[in-house]
Amino acid sequence: MGGTMKQPGELNAQTISAFMPGLSVDNVIFGFHDNQLKVLLLEAPDRKNWMLPGGFVLKDESVDAAAEHVLFNRTGLKKVYLRQFGVFGDPDRSREHLTKEMMRSMHFGPELSDWLLQRFITIGYYALVEFNKVKPVPDQLSVSCAWFDTDKLPQLIFDHKEIIKAH
């Protein structure tokens, strides 16, 4: 398998066992141009929340490889230098009601409930790119992707604001 499975669109009862339970990666992609610093976010299908390009780690891949393929699968960006900067494991980071809301908006079926509702620890990665030289494209689970000023962030899911601010 080794990173060939798209995420998270192919997440279903048959493919879930390929992923490490309780472990994810979240990518903070900072963009700069003309003294501006922005962060790349994906718009959730509920059109109320935004999120970092994140996803799950396959059992047979390194977390660094997972960060790269998650970034590509969620945004189309490749050959971006990612650096690990932190681990986020607050027990409240994936609150059940928020996870259920996201599951509904992303059309994940009830067969994934037990797996998705477990506690998740995420590994944060960051990158710095010139935002006018990259063209991110949202995945099938995102409505859009956009660059936001780091001091004017929209409503974010889970602890994604804290992850952005940690770097």
Side-chain angles (χ1 to χ4, degrees), residues 19 29 34 51 59 71 74 78 83 114 122 128 144 146 153 162 166:
F19 295 99
I29 309 304
D34 289 338
M51 60 193 144
K59 287 180 179 176
L71 181 63
R74 300 295 316 266
K78 57 184 174 180
R83 183 172 177 95
D114 287 343
T122 197
L128 183 62
S144 66
L153 297 173
E162 289 79 20

Side-chain angles (χ1 to χ4, degrees), residues 125-146:
Y125 283 81
Y126 76 92
L128 183 62
V129 299
E130 193 167 351
F131 65 77
N132 69 339
K133 292 188 177 182
V134 295
K135 302 290 184 231
V137 178
D139 65 351
Q140 69 274 21
L141 296 174
S142 306
V143 176
S144 66
C145 52

Side-chain angles (χ1 to χ4, degrees), residues 2-162:
T4 60
M5 184 179 302
K6 289 190 176 186
Q7 295 188 40
E10 293 181 21
L11 192 61
N12 59 51
Q14 289 76 40
T15 61
I16 200 75
S17 65
F19 295 99
M20 292 293 301
L23 183 63
S24 62
V25 293
D26 282 304
N27 295 307
V28 182
I29 309 304
F30 290 108
F32 69 92
H33 183 73
D34 289 338
N35 294 323
Q36 298 176 45
L37 184 63
K38 298 180 181 276
V39 66
L40 180 64
L41 298 173
L42 301 175
E43 185 178 14
D46 65 8
R47 295 189 177 264
K48 296 185 295 185
N49 294 292
W50 290 78
M51 60 193 144
L52 292 168
F56 306 117
V57 179
L58 290 165
K59 287 180 179 176
D60 64 350
E61 73 180 338
S62 71
V63 291
D64 291 345
E68 290 175 11
H69 92 255
V70 164
L71 181 63
F72 176 73
N73 289 334
R74 300 295 316 266
T75 68
L77 297 179
K78 57 184 174 180
K79 296 185 179 176
V80 173
Y81 175 75
L82 292 165
R83 183 172 177 95
Q84 191 180 122
F85 73 92
V87 176
F88 301 86
D90 187 312
D92 291 331
R93 73 172 301 269
S94 30
R95 292 173 204 88
E96 185 173 334
H97 72 281
L98 295 175
T99 303
K100 285 181 177 179
E101 182 180 322
M102 290 309 299
M103 287 173 58
R104 279 191 298 277
S105 73
M106 292 183 163
H107 308 292
F108 289 137
E111 71 278 4
L112 298 177
S113 290
D114 287 343
W115 199 84
L116 290 170
L117 290 173
Q118 67 186 313
R119 178 182 175 193
F120 270 86
I121 294 171
T122 197
I123 300 171
Y125 283 81
Y126 76 92
L128 183 62
V129 299
E130 193 167 351
F131 65 77
N132 69 339
K133 292 188 177 182
V134 295
K135 302 290 184 231
V137 178
D139 65 351
Q140 69 274 21
L141 296 174
S142 306
V143 176
S144 66
C145 52
W147 295 101
F148 287 88
D149 289 334
T150 56
D151 58 347
K152 296 178 184 170
L153 297 173
Q155 182 172 316
L156 297 167
I157 65 167
F158 308 127
D159 60 349
H160 287 195
K161 185 175 186 174
E162 289 79 20

